[in-house]
Amino acid sequence: MRIEEDIKLDYADVLLRPKRSTLTSRKEVVLERTFRFYHSPKQWTGVPIMTANMATCGTFEMARVLAPHKIITTFHKYYKQAEYQKFFETFNNPNFVVYTLGMRDEDITQLKAMSEAGLLNNFSFICLDVPNGYLEKFLETIKLIRALAPEHIIIAGNVATNEMTEEIILSGADIVKVGIGPGSACTTRRMTGVGYPQLSAVIECADAAHGISNTKGCGLVIADGGQQYPSCIAKAFCAGADFNMSGSLFSGFDESAGKLVEKDGKKYKEYFGSSSNKALLEFYGKKEAHRASEGRYVLMPYKGSVASFIQDLFGSLRSTGTYIGAKTLKEFSKRATFIRVNKQLTTYLENFDQDN
Ligand code: 5GP
């Protein structure tokens, strides 16, 4: 047994120090980035924000609204080939959609079938998503996917530590998904005791990924989960995240899946973890006897179309850039100085309702 004494931090444990700036307007802050990759020969330009690959927000409806804003939709794992076939009859924007799969035999079978049918050409990205990215089989599956899709931008996760980030990139992924336990619908930390405070995980994994480079590009990371507010997305970019992935921030909208529920005169939409009892029963028909649920079911206040949120999100990111003197998203991490804050302030921010 060993104890690490270093203090590890979450988004709520820090604020950003304002800095002298030559910017004259928020409009000047550029949110688009262009990336090249360690393995894939592709180049990608867009706003590096994506929905989680969850049943509630990784939907076709979401992609139709987000793609024109150059935001990525990471589809959930439960769409079947025939559904993709139909969707791509009326959607053609590969840079802003991700095909997600897990490690089960059926997942690999569908990936191969999608490839043979030419459907994978509709995606620039493929995401291998597992709750625990520390398994030997996970690395083997990354190698298999890289062999099947040599040109695609491959995302793989989730992990929360530097040494596994490096292994994942060296095994064939371009982007590592970082986050064990920060998700709002996740109960892994409570059920298993395993996790890593997310801001520190992002800082340490980004540092490891960026250290692996060749003439084309370097390893990249996605900060996945735990962003309760747009400010958390800004903090993740400041911590070195190349992309941000969020589930709850993209839920509760018309374009999110899940039932619309009315309770005490207010409207809500369902949001549930991918390992919740609801997801396991709905998508796999059963919860196997050896596993416990590691996800929650919550009702999110209904918020209309996601388009209005995009405007707020872009506005707040531009405002962060103006405060810290960063003209581009790339500069966020260079300009950022985090200040640790006390628990009282954290609690205050968590209880603050923006509309009151
Ligand atoms: P959020 O944006 O809601 O804070 O977090 C979304 C992320 O939580 C997802 O991208 C995924 O990594 C993680 N997640 C989603 N469902 C579950 C679950 O049931 N259990 C766990 N451990 N993590 C989940």
Side-chain angles (χ1 to χ4, degrees):
M1 190 277 289
R2 211 166 75 86
I3 298 182
E4 281 190 27
E5 299 285 357
D6 283 11
I7 293 179
K8 305 289 179 188
L9 302 168
D10 267 311
Y11 296 125
D13 296 322
V14 296
L15 286 172
L16 290 160
R17 191 181 214 281
K19 300 235 170 110
R20 197 180 71 80
S21 163
T22 53
L23 287 156
T24 54
S25 157
R26 286 167 202 198
K27 272 194 295 211
E28 292 171 35
V29 179
V30 178
L31 299 180
E32 279 187 27
R33 284 197 69 175
T34 296
F35 288 112
R36 295 177 73 225
F37 304 92
Y38 187 71
H39 296 281
S40 167
K42 292 183 193 293
Q43 179 171 301
W44 180 88
T45 299
V47 180
I49 294 176
M50 46 181 52
T51 72
N53 51 279
M54 295 171 73
T56 45
C57 57
T59 63
F60 291 154
E61 295 75 14
M62 198 59 90
R64 291 193 196 282
V65 179
L66 297 186
H69 294 282
K70 300 194 176 177
I71 295 184
I72 300 168
T73 301
T74 313
F75 292 131
H76 58 68
K77 298 174 195 170
Y78 317 112
Y79 284 129
K80 296 282 176 264
Q81 184 174 342
E83 292 171 281
Y84 279 122
Q85 186 91 49
K86 191 156 187 306
F87 173 68
F88 286 119
E89 284 169 12
T90 55
F91 183 94
N92 178 13
N93 214 337
N95 275 345
F96 300 105
V97 283
V98 183
Y99 180 75
T100 306
L101 76 162
M103 293 197 296
R104 295 161 4 127
D105 292 346
E106 304 88 287
D107 294 316
I108 303 299
T109 305
Q110 175 158 303
L111 181 75
K112 287 183 179 160
M114 293 275 294
S115 172
E116 277 156 25
L119 281 169
L120 276 190
N121 299 334
N122 293 295
F123 300 91
S124 294
F125 299 85
I126 297 174
C127 173
L128 174 64
D129 175 69
V130 300
N132 175 0
Y134 288 81
L135 307 176
E136 197 59 39
K137 186 179 174 195
F138 172 65
L139 296 176
E140 294 307 318
T141 311
I142 296 172
K143 290 179 194 154
L144 179 82
I145 297 172
R146 176 52 74 201
L148 282 169
E151 310 256 299
H152 277 75
I153 305 159
I154 296 179
I155 300 170
N158 278 26
V159 294
T161 50
N162 55 355
E163 75 287 354
M164 211 54 195
T165 298
E166 288 168 2
E167 283 258 6
I168 289 171
I169 292 164
L170 295 173
S171 298
D174 298 291
I175 312 177
V176 178
K177 206 147 78 75
V178 175
I180 300 279
S184 63
C186 161
T187 56
T188 293
R189 290 178 184 174
R190 202 180 300 171
M191 296 299 283
T192 68
V194 177
Y196 211 101
Q198 183 67 351
L199 184 83
S200 293
V202 171
I203 292 172
E204 293 169 27
C205 295
D207 187 50
H210 297 164
I212 299 183
S213 64
N214 56 24
T215 50
K216 288 202 290 29
C218 67
L220 302 174
V221 297
I222 298 172
D224 174 19
Q227 300 97 329
Q228 279 184 278
Y229 315 102
S231 59
C232 304
I233 291 192
K235 288 175 188 175
F237 284 130
C238 288
D242 303 290
F243 293 80
N244 260 273
M245 171 179 274
S246 175
S248 54
L249 288 180
F250 287 104
S251 295
F253 295 106
D254 290 328
E255 297 81 2
S256 322
K259 275 199 244 84
L260 188 66
V261 177
E262 284 217 38
K263 212 171 145 189
D264 303 328
K266 289 192 180 145
K267 287 185 182 165
Y268 300 87
K269 277 198 108 164
E270 294 180 317
Y271 181 60
F272 50 89
S274 308
S275 303
S276 62
N277 282 330
K278 178 171 169 67
L280 296 176
L281 292 174
E282 194 162 322
F283 300 112
Y284 300 110
K286 60 173 187 233
K287 188 174 83 182
E288 287 151 333
H290 60 270
R291 69 182 290 176
S293 158
E294 287 181 31
R296 298 194 298 142
Y297 171 95
V298 277
L299 289 177
M300 301 278 293
Y302 167 68
K303 293 168 277 189
S305 171
V306 72
S308 56
F309 167 64
I310 299 308
Q311 196 180 336
D312 278 354
L313 176 61
F314 285 4
S316 48
L317 285 174
R318 289 200 175 98
S319 189
T320 303
T322 314
Y323 273 119
I324 64 172
K327 288 196 187 71
T328 62
L329 262 194
K330 190 175 179 187
E331 284 177 26
F332 272 42
S333 65
K334 298 198 177 83
R335 298 287 303 178
T337 302
F338 287 115
I339 311 159
R340 284 186 48 205
V341 294
N342 60 46
K343 213 63 202 163
Q344 260 169 329
L345 178 66
T346 305
T347 313
Y348 165 74
L349 285 171
E350 276 171 5
N351 293 332
F352 181 75
D353 181 350
Q354 181 142 20
D355 291 323
N356 290 331

